[in-house]
Amino acid sequence: MTEMVHGAIPARASEPVLPRWWRTIDKWSLTCIFILFGMGLLLALAASVPLATRNGLPQFYYVERQMFFGGMAMVAMVSISMMSPDMVRRLGVMGFLVAFLALILLPVAGTDFGKGAVRWYSLGFASFQPSEFLKPGFMIVTGWLMASSQEVNGPPGKRISFALLIVIAGFLSMQPDFGQTALILFGWSVIYFVGGAPMVLIATFIGAIVFAGTLFYESSEHFARRIDGFLNPELDPRTQLGYATNAIIEGGFFGVGVGEGQVKWSLPDAHTDFIIAVAAEEYGLILVLCIIALYATVVVRSLFRLMRERDPFIRLAGTGLACIFGVQAMINMGVAVRLLPAKGMTLPFVSYGGSSVIAAGITVGMLLALTRSRPQGEIGDILFNKRGR
């Protein structure tokens, strides 16, 4: 844990892969992710047992599946974090193309599992949600295109990425999946802003989003029902939001005790979208604050490292990855405490879900790879040299 005390140590070119990886990786962020995954397994023991009982499955059915898929996610995260930025870019582009094709074919071959939104492919033993894997790939592609557009005689990367954004948002809205649509729009906007977008264009883009939201509210009953439920001052205690809100209130600062919570018996999505309500009820505000601190540590440390990065692709793509990771966690917890409309979004590494946890592992693996220390001068060196001339 040398870096935690003395800071990052540049890699030596002659070092083997594993020592070089350990020397250059952000160990604080890596540790936070493993802790989050451990907390997810702990909460799965509490939240998923009632669901397994109701479905006539073995008590620890969902816990065992989370351990299996989570183990795959950890392996993917560590493996990807060892890659060079060029390899990350290639992986991101290939992953994006595969996920984008899967997204396009969803209306033909996808299923809704009775939830009213065609978002998944049924594989028999598991399900696959393309939008989860599309997010990290799109951040890599967007960062690459916008970085290329800054080169002399470079391609019109901003316009190409914007066209891709519109197409992706259209397919996601058709499902409908407005939560993932909003997250991808946010990630693209952050990269565009960091890449030097004019404020006039940003204001125009925000206006277009507001207009599109109004249009969807008028034309989509699903979207309107979510917004109306959020704006309604009267909260129905028999809804998922009602159960979650009551559980958070009951938990107080220190919780009602391990295994003593009741919300897991009432909420069908207690192990996924509303896992934070289970944490708040049984372990109290203390655990919730610890979870928030872990996410914040990963995002803030990553952004600080990226601020010192000279390579435009690494800086842009890494910022997009860090922001969608942090904002997804914020949306999930914001919905549970009724600060945001219901979105149907998981809490990365904590909520149950095969696609979501593996995609989170890929996202963070790419982020860790891009934020590794490299033997280069920092971006500030360029600025100071220019001023000194």
Side-chain angles (χ1 to χ4, degrees), residues 8-218:
I9 303 172
R12 292 189 291 268
S14 59
E15 283 184 309
V17 174
L18 282 177
R20 185 191 314 165
W21 171 80
W22 181 247
R23 187 184 292 271
T24 59
I25 198 75
D26 182 0
K27 300 178 184 65
W28 281 101
S29 294
L30 186 66
T31 302
C32 287
I33 295 301
F34 280 120
I35 294 174
L36 282 169
F37 179 57
M39 287 183 172
L41 292 178
L42 177 67
L43 294 173
L45 286 169
S48 64
V49 171
L51 179 65
T53 302
R54 287 197 299 268
N55 293 338
L57 298 169
Q59 278 193 331
F60 300 110
Y61 174 80
Y62 294 106
V63 179
E64 292 170 356
R65 286 174 65 85
Q66 183 70 354
M67 290 180 66
F68 173 73
F69 289 116
M72 291 176 61
M74 295 298 105
V75 171
M77 179 185 71
V78 172
S79 300
I80 294 172
S81 71
M82 295 182 183
M83 294 182 178
S84 67
D86 286 342
M87 290 182 65
V88 170
R89 185 179 65 240
R90 295 188 190 103
L91 175 66
V93 172
M94 290 189 294
F96 169 76
L97 292 175
V98 172
F100 185 56
L101 179 61
L103 181 70
I104 293 173
L105 296 177
L106 265 179
V108 179
T111 181
D112 63 354
F113 289 110
K115 296 184 179 182
V118 182
R119 302 176 185 174
W120 301 271
Y121 287 100
S122 178
L123 305 179
F125 65 95
S127 61
F128 166 67
Q129 187 175 355
S131 61
E132 291 284 358
F133 298 91
L134 186 74
K135 289 181 298 188
F138 184 60
M139 294 301 103
I140 295 294
V141 169
T142 300
W144 178 40
L145 288 171
M146 291 197 183
S148 299
S149 69
Q150 297 175 5
E151 299 174 359
V152 178
N153 297 323
K158 293 180 180 179
R159 279 177 284 180
I160 296 173
S161 67
F162 182 71
L164 285 173
L165 174 72
I166 297 302
V167 173
I168 291 169
F171 276 104
L172 289 175
S173 300
M174 287 168 55
Q175 295 181 2
D177 191 347
F178 298 110
Q180 299 287 9
T181 303
L183 192 57
I184 285 178
L185 285 170
F186 176 80
W188 183 89
S189 302
V190 168
I191 296 176
Y192 190 40
F193 175 76
V194 174
M199 292 304 296
V200 174
L201 287 180
I202 293 175
T204 303
F205 185 66
I206 293 173
I209 292 176
V210 173
F211 174 77
T214 304
L215 186 64
F216 280 124
Y217 180 83
E218 297 293 337

Side-chain angles (χ1 to χ4, degrees), residues 193-363:
F193 175 76
V194 174
M199 292 304 296
V200 174
L201 287 180
I202 293 175
T204 303
F205 185 66
I206 293 173
I209 292 176
V210 173
F211 174 77
T214 304
L215 186 64
F216 280 124
Y217 180 83
E218 297 293 337
S219 60
S220 172
E221 181 181 349
H222 172 81
F223 186 77
R225 186 168 59 251
R226 293 285 182 93
I227 298 299
D228 290 340
F230 171 69
L231 296 177
N232 188 355
E234 298 295 330
L235 181 62
D236 187 348
R238 295 167 297 178
T239 62
Q240 293 206 86
L241 280 175
Y243 287 124
T245 302
N246 183 67
I248 293 170
I249 294 172
E250 289 292 327
F253 280 97
F254 302 105
V256 297
V258 180
E260 299 298 322
Q262 298 301 312
V263 70
K264 59 194 176 187
W265 297 98
S266 307
L267 275 174
D269 293 329
H271 63 314
T272 54
D273 299 351
F274 291 94
I275 191 73
I276 200 69
V278 177
E281 185 181 30
E282 297 200 359
Y283 299 92
L285 180 63
I286 301 299
L287 182 64
V288 175
L289 291 177
C290 289
I291 292 174
I292 293 173
L294 290 169
Y295 284 113
T297 299
V298 175
V299 174
V300 172
R301 285 188 61 85
S302 298
L303 292 177
F304 270 108
R305 281 177 163 241
L306 291 165
M307 286 172 60
R308 303 192 297 266
E309 180 58 54
R310 294 175 60 176
D311 189 322
F313 162 70
I314 295 175
R315 193 165 61 250
L316 294 175
T319 300
L321 291 169
C323 287
I324 62 168
F325 175 73
V327 170
Q328 179 170 339
M330 184 184 73
I331 290 174
N332 176 277
M333 291 184 279
V335 168
V337 296
R338 216 186 172 205
L339 288 175
L340 295 169
K343 290 283 194 305
M345 197 170 290
T346 57
L347 189 60
F349 296 108
V350 178
S351 294
Y352 170 82
S355 291
S356 63
V357 72
I358 293 174
I362 293 172
T363 300

